[in-house]
Amino acid sequence: MPGQTLCKGNIMDKVLLIAGLLVLAFTLVLLVKRYDTRTVLIGSGIVLCLISLAPLNAFEAFSTRMTTGALVQSICSSMGFAFVMKYTQCDLHLVKLLTRSMKQLGLFLIPVAVLVTFFISIAIPSAAGVSAAVGATLIPLLIASRIHPAIAAGAVITGTIGATLNPGIAHNAQIAGIANQKIIDFVIYHLPLSASVMAAGAVSLTLVAVLKKETRLTPEQMLIAQEMPQKNAQSGADISQIVVKPLWALAPFVPVILLLLSSFNLLGETKLNVPAAMILGALYALLVTRCNPKHITTEFFNGMGSSYANILGIIIAAAVFIEGLKACGLMDSFISLLIHQPDIARWGGSIGPFLMGVVTGTGDATAFAFNEAVTPSASKFGFLPENLGAGVMYAACLGRNMSPLAGATIVCAGLACVNPIEVVKRTAPGMIVSVLGIALIWMGIA
C-alpha cells in the first residue's frame, strides 16, 4: 500500500538520521582525543555511506576533491614557495629587518611585536613556522625588556592571524571558489576583519600585561615566571649572525605584491594566478641569493608534496565525510534547519570551529568541513558565502591561538621557558572578544 510504503520510508529516514548523528558524535570524540584527522574523517565518511547503502559515493567524493584544479594549484605552489624561503633563509632576513630598533619601545613593544609577527605571517603562512622564526628574536627581546615571558610568547601567537591574508592558504582558495571570486579579491574583502582581530588581540594582551603588572618585572620575578628549565626550551632559528640584505628580506612578499598589482590592473594585460606568482617569487629568490637552482627546485617540489599530504589531505578527507553526511540525509536536514533558523549558522559557524580549535589545537578540519557543507548554501539563509566562510576561517584560527596544544603555542612557550597554559591564560581574553565580535558583528553583514 502507498501509505505503508511512505511510512516505512519515513521510519528508514529517521533511522538513518539517528545513525548519522551517532557517527557524527563519535567522530567529534575521536577528533577531540587527537586521533589522526584524515583517518577519522575518511573512516566516518565511508561508514556513513555504507549504512546509507551508497558506498561508492565516498570514493567518488575522494577522487573528485583530490583533482580540484584551483585548490591543488594554489595550495601546493604556496607551500613550495614557503619551503624555498626557508631554504634560502630569506624569511630570516625579513624577521631581522622588521625586529631591529625595537628595544626602546617599552610597553608599546607588545603591540608592535604583534604587528611585526602579523606582517611576517602574511609571507610565512605557517603558524608554527613563523613562531619559530620570529619568536627566536622577538621573545628574548620582550623578556630583556622586563616583560613577562608568557606575555612575550602570547604576542607572537596573537600575530600569527596575519597568515589569513596569504592568497595561497587553503581556506582562501576553498572559500573563494565557493563564492566564485578571485582569491586576491576575497583576501582584500576580509582584510578589515584580519586587521580588527589583530588589533583586538594586541590591545587585549597589552591590557592584560598592565592589569597583571607584568611589564616591568624584577630579575627575581622573571626567574619565577620562567617555570620551565632552560634546557627544555625549544630552540628557534639563530639569526644573530645574519647581516640583513634588503633584497633577500623582500623575497617572501614578492608573490603577494605581484598578485595585488595584477588585481588592480597595474601589470597591464598580464593576469597572474597564485602558482605563477609563487614561481616568480621563487625565481626572484634564486636571482638575489644565487643559491643552487637544483636545490631550490627540489625544495619547491618537496613543499608541494608536503602540502598535498598534510593540507589537501584534510580537505579530501573532509569531502568524504561531508558526502557521508549527505548520503544519510543529515546534511539536508541541517541546511533546512539553517534556512528556518539563520542564527544557528551565525553561532555554529563561529563558536563551533573556535571550540574545536581550542580543544584540538587546530580548527582546520572543522572549518574545512563546515565551509564544504554549509557555506555553498549560505544565500538560502541570508548570508553571503564569502562572509560566512571568512567568519568560519577566523573563528578556527582564533581557537587555535587559544589552545595549549597548538604547535605555535608549544614553540613559543618553549622559547619563553613557560608552561603553554600560562600563555593561553593571557591570550584568551583577546581571542574570546574577537570570536564574539565575529558572531555578533561580522556575521551580521549581509
Side-chain angles (χ1 to χ4, degrees):
M1 297 291 290
Q4 292 177 334
T5 303
L6 182 61
C7 182
K8 289 180 180 179
N10 289 335
I11 293 174
M12 286 301 298
D13 289 342
K14 290 179 180 179
V15 170
L16 276 177
L17 285 175
I18 293 172
L21 287 171
L22 291 175
V23 173
L24 175 60
F26 187 62
T27 301
L28 293 175
V29 170
L30 292 178
L31 290 174
V32 168
K33 288 182 175 292
R34 299 183 64 80
Y35 284 86
D36 180 69
T37 301
R38 291 164 296 183
T39 304
V40 171
L41 292 179
I42 290 176
S44 298
I46 291 175
V47 169
L48 287 169
C49 287
L50 284 173
I51 63 177
S52 303
L53 303 179
L56 292 181
N57 287 15
F59 305 113
E60 289 174 1
F62 187 99
S63 58
T64 299
R65 182 55 70 200
M66 71 181 290
T67 56
T68 304
L71 205 61
V72 174
Q73 293 170 23
S74 298
I75 296 170
C76 289
S77 61
S78 297
M79 189 58 70
F81 177 73
F83 269 50
V84 169
M85 292 299 98
K86 184 176 181 180
Y87 169 72
T88 59
Q89 294 194 331
C90 288
D91 56 348
L92 299 185
H93 282 259
L94 174 62
V95 170
K96 190 163 185 179
L97 176 65
L98 293 181
T99 56
R100 63 189 183 186
S101 303
M102 291 174 58
K103 294 182 179 180
Q104 308 303 320
L105 293 174
L107 175 64
F108 294 102
L109 187 57
I110 298 172
V112 170
V114 174
L115 185 63
V116 167
T117 308
F118 178 84
F119 279 112
I120 295 175
S121 294
I122 298 174
I124 310 174
S126 163
V130 79
S131 294
V134 178
T137 298
L138 283 183
I139 290 175
L141 176 61
L142 269 73
I143 292 174
S145 301
R146 300 165 59 189
I147 291 171
H148 194 287
I151 294 289
V156 173
I157 294 167
T158 301
T160 60
I161 199 73
T164 54
L165 296 180
N166 186 292
I169 68 167
H171 293 289
N172 281 331
Q174 181 193 35
I175 301 165
I178 293 171
N180 197 27
Q181 290 185 345
K182 293 180 180 178
I183 294 178
I184 193 65
D185 291 340
F186 174 65
V187 170
I188 294 171
Y189 172 79
H190 66 73
L191 189 153
L193 177 58
S194 185
S196 300
V197 168
M198 182 271 295
V203 171
S204 172
L205 193 63
T206 305
L207 289 175
V208 168
V210 171
L211 293 175
K212 291 176 70 68
K213 299 180 180 178
E214 295 181 337
T215 58
R216 297 183 64 83
L217 299 185
T218 65
E220 293 76 16
Q221 290 173 319
M222 195 67 73
L223 285 174
I224 295 172
Q226 292 185 302
E227 304 169 5
M228 296 168 53
Q230 187 68 34
K231 63 181 181 180
N232 289 339
Q234 296 189 23
S235 60
D238 181 14
I239 66 172
S240 59
Q241 303 302 317
I242 288 179
V243 178
V244 174
K245 299 177 182 178
L247 292 179
W248 290 38
L250 176 64
F253 281 111
V254 167
V256 178
I257 293 171
L258 289 174
L259 287 169
L260 285 172
L261 292 175
S262 177
S263 176
F264 291 109
N265 299 317
L266 297 178
L267 297 179
E269 298 298 321
T270 304
K271 296 295 180 183
L272 291 180
N273 56 17
V274 172
M278 298 300 164
I279 293 172
L280 288 172
L283 289 174
Y284 172 86
L286 172 63
L287 290 174
V288 299
T289 63
R290 299 179 184 177
C291 288
N292 189 316
K294 175 186 174 182
H295 292 164
I296 284 188
T297 303
T298 299
E299 289 299 319
F300 194 93
F301 281 99
N302 283 343
M304 290 179 65
S306 175
S307 69
Y308 201 99
N310 298 305
I311 300 175
L312 275 161
I314 296 178
I315 296 176
I316 294 168
V320 175
F321 180 61
I322 295 305
E323 188 60 38
L325 294 178
K326 290 179 181 177
C328 71
L330 196 59
M331 190 51 60
D332 288 339
S333 298
F334 186 54
I335 296 296
S336 177
L337 178 64
L338 292 179
I339 291 173
H340 294 94
Q341 301 289 336
D343 278 345
I344 294 179
R346 178 195 301 266
W347 294 104
S350 54
I351 303 301
F354 177 77
L355 291 178
M356 284 299 294
V358 172
V359 173
T360 65
T362 171
D364 283 350
T366 309
F368 284 136
F370 191 99
N371 282 329
E372 179 83 20
V374 179
T375 302
S377 304
S379 59
K380 295 181 180 178
F381 38 91
F383 287 87
L384 295 172
E386 58 269 33
N387 179 263
L388 180 60
V392 171
M393 172 178 67
Y394 279 96
C397 291
L398 290 168
R400 176 204 67 205
N401 285 358
M402 191 178 140
S403 173
L405 302 176
T409 304
I410 294 170
V411 168
C412 290
L415 291 171
C417 298
V418 295
N419 191 306
I421 295 295
E422 292 302 314
V423 180
V424 168
K425 287 179 182 178
R426 291 158 175 82
T427 59
M431 303 304 106
I432 293 172
V433 167
S434 294
V435 79
L436 290 176
I438 288 172
L440 296 172
I441 301 173
W442 177 260
M443 294 291 200
I445 300 174

